Amino acid sequence: MSNTDSGSGAQAEAAARPWWRQLWPWLLIAGPAVTMVGCIITIVLAVQNFGDQAMTDGAVKRGLKVERTAAPIDHGSKK
């Protein structure tokens, strides 16, 4: 009989602890938190390293759209 009493007492003691002393909430929070930190690091690196690159090869930026302009056609001198 004492085995069942000690088992239920341990469960009651675990249930009485505040949520921040439990393991499961921290395991559930860890995944999204690590993902958010990784996204922030990726955005910072992208802006620092590639934020102000000049466009080359005759590209023209119009709003959010980048278009490559056609090379001028040389018709030559037709007389």
Side-chain angles (χ1 to χ4, degrees):
M1 202 183 325
S2 64
N3 289 342
T4 58
D5 292 338
S6 65
S8 64
Q11 289 175 355
E13 185 180 317
R17 291 190 303 180
W19 71 268
W20 62 85
R21 301 249 178 174
Q22 301 285 334
L23 177 64
W24 288 108
W26 295 110
L27 288 176
L28 293 173
I29 292 170
V34 168
T35 304
M36 287 176 20
V37 169
C39 287
I40 291 169
I41 290 171
T42 302
I43 291 169
V44 168
L45 289 175
V47 170
Q48 284 180 350
N49 295 333
F50 304 106
D52 58 350
Q53 284 186 339
M55 291 187 289
T56 58
D57 299 331
V60 176
K61 185 173 182 181
R62 296 185 182 135
L64 296 176
K65 188 176 180 183
V66 177
E67 297 176 347
R68 178 173 284 192
T69 58
I73 301 172
D74 184 21
H75 295 291
S77 58
K78 293 184 180 180
K79 290 185 182 182

